Amino acid sequence: MFIEKIVIKQQQKFFEYMINEIANIKDIDLRVKLAAKLAYFAVYNHTGYYYSAKLEKIFTDYAETINVKINNSFNPNTFLHVLTKAFVFGGHTRVVEKWIEQAPDSQIHSVICLNQQEFEIPDRLKKAVEDKKGKLFILECSNLKDRALKLRKIASDFEYIILHIHMEDSTALVAFGTETFKRPVIFFNHADHMFWLGKSIIDILAVLREYSDNITTCKRQISDSFMLGVPIDFKHKPLIDKQQAKRNLKIDVNKKLIISVGNASKFHPIGRKNFLKILSNIINENDNIQIIIIGPDKKDKLWKKAYVKSKGIISTIGEIDYNNGYFDYINAADLVIDSWPIGGGTVMLDAINFNTPVLSLKNPLGQFDYLTISCAYCKTEDELYKKIKLVLNNEKFKEDLLNEVKTNLDKEHSLKNWRKKIETLVQMTPKIHTVKNISNEKENKDIDEASVILNYVYNKDFWLKALFKINLYYLKYFIFKLLNKL
């Protein structure tokens, strides 16, 4: 990973140069505008930073210079969920919906979308807000100042503010970056593995898993956190016999079917980390198996090579519609192995829901705790190989593994237990908002394996343009300095 780390180091240097240059700009509106662009850069071009004290100070300083009339009192038992955008797809908005749905009827929950643009508001979210007698606010402000002031004014009516914002969204930092705003701010850490803005204004951080808790303390140096997790509405799907499911898919019923699911980037070799080598070792240690990968394009040269080398045992079938065919394969599988070196979340839950055993190999970006504390989690490749044999050939081991994972899921993520955690979180939340002065903090900016993988996943042109980008960053830097002098 030597070359990869060099590129990230250059991105880190560029990021640090730009913070210092931007911080010295006298025009405060230009300063904030450029700081917002730099935040976007830090999210999608990994720099080793998980937060930036200097960058946040630009926004909190700006917060103190802009004012709007706000209420000094609030309506009790009211909660305002703040989203950058609400989506009809993915898990991000589903958490908000379930949070509101599970809330006691004595609470009033409202939602504000800061930059919804053309995206459709999910019907389920609308209904959840309506059922809890809340309001749905859609801001239509084109600039940061107006968005932040409207958010500050609207939020002042509520007892608690809950942030579900995008990583680079600076609106909340400007809205709540002043202690003239008194209402406490809860930050739901849904993007725990990435750089984000907001540390300065957090009164309590709700974390998802032990992995995020480690980043919270080591990388972000935050002490006020609470392990909340995510809610899972766990309902068993209708099952058909696995043999029949295989026949339906024209898969040899005499072979054990192993499946893994994820987009191509989740499997892509990074340095010495190579999932295809793992699959080859699985073939060498197990007879009479078939391995199907859902997600990567079958024309991809890596997977074409794997198909030929394995004599057809390893095949990929590309993307499958979630509601049309995907669950047929999950139902037919004898085992689902987590994608690697980047793990999946929903896929593991889908498999468990179909009584299909799962195994997950430790990776730099972590997994949810219900898996990592179970027998299904493998810390080494050798452990993975041994457990694959056991799952495929030992019925008792398979059943014990499934039962343990299901028990963990219920304990950590059932709606009932998650509701109790929310009650504890609210009780722990300070009653008065404070803005943290983090300007003198020294961030942990070490470039680790997670940095390399994240840079690859989100920085899409990383491999083809790495060397070009090193020079491009410096070119942009010098152009910026030149323009700033004009």
Side-chain angles (χ1 to χ4, degrees), residues 160-316:
Y160 297 97
I161 313 303
I162 307 165
L163 302 182
H164 308 265
I165 55 176
H166 288 188
M167 300 76 70
E168 71 277 11
D169 191 348
S170 56
T171 310
L173 259 180
V174 178
F176 310 133
T178 170
E179 291 187 354
T180 58
F181 183 84
K182 303 294 185 183
R183 307 315 317 136
V185 175
I186 300 169
F187 190 107
F188 185 72
N189 192 13
H190 67 93
D192 57 4
H193 58 295
M194 300 181 72
F195 176 96
W196 49 250
L197 297 172
K199 177 179 176 178
S200 304
I201 59 169
I202 294 171
D203 293 300
I204 191 166
L205 181 71
V207 298
L208 310 184
R209 52 188 177 146
E210 184 179 348
Y211 175 84
S212 62
D213 205 24
N214 291 335
I215 293 182
T216 294
T217 55
C218 298
K219 292 286 189 178
R220 293 195 174 98
Q221 304 173 65
I222 296 175
S223 56
D224 298 323
S225 66
F226 176 77
M227 183 67 72
L228 179 61
V230 294
I232 295 171
D233 190 5
F234 198 60
K235 297 178 180 177
H236 287 293
K237 301 284 184 180
L239 305 176
I240 62 172
D241 177 75
K242 287 194 180 295
Q243 300 295 82
Q244 185 59 49
K246 289 176 183 176
R247 291 189 193 97
N248 294 345
L249 294 169
K250 296 181 171 53
I251 295 171
D252 190 340
V253 296
N254 296 312
K255 291 186 177 182
K256 298 286 187 178
L257 176 61
I258 299 174
I259 282 179
S260 193
V261 185
N263 60 51
S265 63
K266 289 194 171 186
F267 299 104
H268 200 289
I270 299 177
R272 294 182 179 179
K273 298 187 177 299
N274 192 333
F275 188 64
L276 292 174
K277 287 183 180 179
I278 293 174
L279 295 182
S280 296
N281 291 336
I282 292 172
I283 292 173
N284 292 336
E285 296 199 11
N286 295 274
D287 297 324
N288 216 30
I289 63 171
Q290 179 71 45
I291 300 175
I292 294 178
I293 312 297
I294 299 174
D297 190 331
K298 62 178 67 178
K299 295 180 181 178
D300 186 294
K301 63 180 181 180
L302 285 172
W303 294 102
K304 286 176 67 176
K305 183 178 179 181
Y307 179 83
V308 172
K309 189 175 181 181
S310 68
K311 298 179 180 178
I313 295 176
I314 300 172
S315 62
T316 179

Side-chain angles (χ1 to χ4, degrees), residues 298-465:
K298 62 178 67 178
K299 295 180 181 178
D300 186 294
K301 63 180 181 180
L302 285 172
W303 294 102
K304 286 176 67 176
K305 183 178 179 181
Y307 179 83
V308 172
K309 189 175 181 181
S310 68
K311 298 179 180 178
I313 295 176
I314 300 172
S315 62
T316 179
I317 55 176
E319 296 179 350
I320 296 180
D321 191 320
Y322 191 76
N323 294 309
N324 186 21
Y326 165 78
F327 287 110
D328 295 335
Y329 283 91
I330 297 297
N331 194 164
D334 295 287
L335 169 65
V336 171
I337 298 178
D338 202 1
S339 53
W340 195 86
I342 302 171
T346 304
V347 175
M348 298 289 97
L349 297 172
D350 292 337
I352 296 164
N353 220 0
F354 273 90
N355 281 326
T356 300
V358 299
L359 290 174
S360 179
L361 177 61
K362 182 179 180 181
N363 71 76
L365 301 185
Q367 247 295 356
F368 281 105
D369 296 343
Y370 80 91
L371 270 181
T372 62
I373 62 175
S374 77
C375 181
Y377 193 67
C378 306
K379 295 182 179 179
T380 66
E381 289 183 35
D382 286 340
E383 184 180 357
L384 175 68
Y385 302 143
K386 289 176 183 177
K387 288 181 177 178
I388 288 173
K389 283 186 175 181
L390 286 169
V391 168
L392 297 181
N393 301 294
N394 187 317
E395 193 67 25
K396 185 177 186 306
F397 180 84
K398 182 183 77 172
E399 291 300 322
D400 288 346
L401 182 149
L402 266 171
N403 289 334
E404 182 187 10
V405 172
K406 288 178 183 178
T407 300
N408 291 348
L409 259 178
D410 182 69
K411 181 180 178 181
E412 298 295 327
H413 300 283
S414 71
L415 294 179
K416 178 182 177 182
N417 290 326
W418 197 69
R419 190 186 307 124
K420 292 178 181 177
K421 289 184 179 182
I422 290 177
E423 291 174 4
T424 304
L425 170 66
V426 172
Q427 290 170 2
M428 291 176 59
T429 302
K431 302 308 175 188
I432 301 295
H433 174 58
T434 58
V435 179
K436 313 295 187 300
N437 182 4
I438 63 173
S439 57
N440 293 322
E441 288 185 1
K442 186 176 181 180
E443 302 92 334
N444 181 342
K445 58 180 182 177
D446 295 338
I447 299 170
D448 53 16
E449 284 188 325
S451 305
V452 172
I453 291 175
L454 286 167
N455 194 64
Y456 169 72
V457 172
Y458 293 103
N459 187 352
K460 297 300 184 184
D461 56 1
F462 177 77
W463 295 106
L464 293 177
K465 301 181 180 179

